[in-house]
Structure formats: C-alpha cells, structure tokens
Amino acid sequence: MSTLRNKVQLIGNLGNDPEIINLESGKTLAKFNIATNESYTNNKGEKITDTQWHNVVAWGKTAQIIEKYITKGKEVAIEGKLTSRSYDDKDGNKRYITEIVCNELLMLGK
C-alpha cells in the first residue's frame, strides 16, 4: 500500500479552447476542461450516456504544448494529480474547486 499515490488518468474531449495565462514570473499556465462519457443501458433497455466534466490545469512545457496544439473538441489523454482548493469570489463568498494538475498529455485522434 505504500506505493499508492494521488494519480489520475483520463481520456476525454476538450469542452473549450484552453485559457493560456503567461505569469509575470515567466511561467505559463493552461486551464481547460475535458468531458468523459460513460454509457450504459437502463432497466427499460434505453442507452444512457453520462458525461462528467473535469477541470484541468497544466504548467510550463506542458502548457506551451497545449497552447500550440490543443483546441476545443480535441481528444486527449491526461495524467496528473487531483487537487482541491478554495478562493473568495468577487462578492466575498468562499468557493471550492477540484481540479487535475496535468503532468503528462497525449494527443489522440487526428
């Protein structure tokens, strides 16, 4: 059990073009979301597709590759770790977000 760690692997399609942020420190940040689909047949024999949306962030070289090659609708495989954080919105309300910090990306499809 000591070899288990926080690791996420997903294959999905980008729901929007990535948001690229170039920070004053010189680092590049890419933010995007991907959709994963799971299909099953319910007890009435109907095919049901369940879509889950995942927030993803990537830094550095990975973010630069995303900026150059990845657009809305593209299928990608990502690997990273799951993180949770909170922030205060413009009205002062505390918001919580769970996202995947991507450290590996594979472009799939054409």
Side-chain angles (χ1 to χ4, degrees), residues 47-96:
K47 182 179 177 184
I48 306 295
T49 300
D50 179 37
T51 302
Q52 295 291 317
W53 289 94
H54 311 276
N55 297 310
V56 183
V57 297
W59 293 90
K61 292 280 188 192
T62 305
Q64 292 169 358
I65 291 168
I66 290 166
E67 178 180 26
K68 192 170 185 178
Y69 297 107
I70 306 296
T71 56
K72 178 181 179 177
K74 296 282 185 178
E75 186 178 30
V76 295
I78 64 163
E79 182 176 294
K81 66 179 181 176
L82 197 60
T83 62
S84 296
R85 61 182 173 87
S86 64
Y87 65 94
D88 294 327
D89 68 12
K90 63 182 179 181
D91 298 324
N93 299 315
K94 188 169 275 303
R95 301 286 181 189
Y96 298 91

Side-chain angles (χ1 to χ4, degrees), residues 1-56:
M1 294 290 261
S2 64
T3 60
L4 294 179
R5 59 188 171 123
N6 183 355
K7 183 177 179 180
V8 176
Q9 295 177 321
L10 295 173
I11 296 175
N13 296 84
L14 268 72
N16 56 359
D17 286 334
E19 177 185 354
I20 305 299
I21 302 168
N22 293 303
L23 303 173
E24 290 179 13
S25 65
K27 291 184 179 182
T28 303
L29 169 65
K31 297 168 83 174
F32 58 98
N33 58 41
I34 65 171
T36 56
N37 297 309
E38 182 178 356
S39 297
Y40 62 92
T41 304
N42 68 11
N43 56 3
K44 296 178 184 175
E46 302 166 329
K47 182 179 177 184
I48 306 295
T49 300
D50 179 37
T51 302
Q52 295 291 317
W53 289 94
H54 311 276
N55 297 310
V56 183

